[in-house]
Amino acid sequence: FLSLGKIIGKNNLMITIKKILLKIISAPYFKNEEDARRRQLLNIILLTVIAATVFIFLGTITTDLVSTEALDQASQSIRPISIFASIIFFLLYLINRYLSGTFAGLSFVLFLLVIVPFADTPEEVAFGRSLIAFVVPIIFAGMVLEPRLSYMIAGLSSIILTIISVGILHQPMPNIPAIAIFFIVALISHVSSRGLRKALEKSTIANKKLQESELQFGSVFNGVNDAILVETTDGKVLDVNSRACEMFGWTHEEFLTKTLVDMVPPENRALSAEEHDDNLLSVEHFETINMRANGERFPASVTGRIEEISGEKRLLIVVRDITKQKKAEEELLAAEEKYREIFDNALEGIFQ
């Protein structure tokens, strides 16, 4: 029981954490599903960046406490920068969640674009290892904004690169191959984002149709006056409708822990086990005695058939409570017996 309690506790904790995370990254107000997807993605990116900046800030403090040597000037400057960045990103998160996803996304991308020139020396930014940093805002623009805006970010990146190359480093020409790569990345980001959008639209339409079909099936499944049970061929219950719960007295969750044997009176279980054969499972109709959760017996009319669902054999059983029908038949037989007795007595009186 303790082990089971721990497992249930862990599952409940994971479910609670999942709900909290989904609530944090979701956007309560959105124009359409595409806008909701972009804002949710931006929330994930912003929260990840916030966590990284906080981790860096705590890392510098821990290093300062543990290390006997004083931090250099560059390491000390990381603290205010990480705090400033965390505040900016958190404000963008709030704007994206409650106000405007477009404004938050554009501000985030422009912020990344602005800090690129300060990430390294002008030589490395324009012609060296930090040149790749310009690609990040272009890619993010295609992810959290309209895909076509990635061309705008590629253009701004090219302008910044030209200013650094020609204006600061006094080069005769900017880095033309790098500028070409910026627009190639923008094109790839645009095409991939459009493809993803179309795929999501098709998936959304398919999900809506599936939900509509499930609702229609559910209304029919739970609307009939007979109990419907879906079982494995060895009698384990997989699903039931609401009428089955009413008829047998178990909740839906309780039903899923039952088998065919639990619905049969003890005196009939041996016979039920003997007749439980794959060739005998699918029958047109028969009458039997079933048992409710409280032990009450009741006559039932049962129809069963085997169907293949998801490549596996499943037994579909329809159970009808015929208590009233049997009672009416007994009353009819009693009435017939009574009138037959009266008629016989009358005949005896006449012939005497």
Side-chain angles (χ1 to χ4, degrees), residues 251-291:
T251 64
H252 188 273
E253 290 72 20
E254 291 173 336
F255 239 124
L256 301 185
T257 65
K258 306 300 178 182
T259 63
L260 180 65
V261 175
D262 297 309
M263 291 169 269
V264 179
E267 59 271 18
N268 295 343
R269 286 177 183 173
L271 179 62
S272 175
E274 290 175 1
E275 294 181 348
H276 194 80
D277 185 279
D278 282 0
N279 297 323
L280 302 176
L281 286 175
S282 187
V283 294
E284 291 184 358
H285 171 264
F286 67 92
E287 291 185 0
T288 186
I289 300 296
N290 280 346
M291 184 175 68

Side-chain angles (χ1 to χ4, degrees), residues 34 37-39 41-42 45 105-106 108-109 112 134-154 182 185-197 200:
E34 179 64 19
R37 181 192 66 81
R38 290 200 201 102
R39 294 172 76 167
L41 179 59
L42 181 58
I45 295 172
L106 185 59
F108 173 68
V109 171
L112 293 178
F134 283 105
V135 175
V136 176
I138 299 172
I139 295 174
F140 278 161
M143 296 170 61
V144 301
L145 296 170
E146 286 288 339
R148 61 178 179 271
L149 291 180
S150 48
Y151 297 110
M152 182 190 77
I153 303 302
F182 292 164
V185 171
L187 176 62
I188 295 173
S189 178
H190 184 197
V191 173
S192 60
S193 296
R194 288 186 61 185
L196 177 62
R197 178 191 294 181
L200 290 173

Side-chain angles (χ1 to χ4, degrees), residues 12-65:
N12 290 336
L13 179 61
M14 293 300 296
I15 292 172
T16 303
I17 293 174
K18 183 179 179 181
K19 288 181 179 178
I20 293 173
L21 290 176
L22 288 175
K23 187 174 182 179
I24 290 174
I25 66 174
S26 64
Y29 313 105
F30 52 87
K31 299 176 183 178
N32 49 51
E33 293 183 359
E34 179 64 19
D35 181 50
R37 181 192 66 81
R38 290 200 201 102
R39 294 172 76 167
Q40 190 175 39
L41 179 59
L42 181 58
N43 279 341
I44 295 173
I45 295 172
L46 288 170
L47 291 172
T48 303
V49 174
I50 291 170
T53 54
V54 171
F55 180 78
I56 293 172
F57 174 75
L58 295 177
T60 58
I61 293 178
T62 304
T63 304
D64 194 14
L65 294 174

Side-chain angles (χ1 to χ4, degrees), residues 200-217:
L200 290 173
E201 288 176 354
K202 291 181 180 179
S203 176
T204 301
I205 293 172
N207 286 335
K208 285 184 177 178
K209 290 182 178 179
L210 179 61
Q211 289 175 0
E212 290 174 358
S213 299
E214 288 177 349
L215 288 174
Q216 292 175 357
F217 172 76

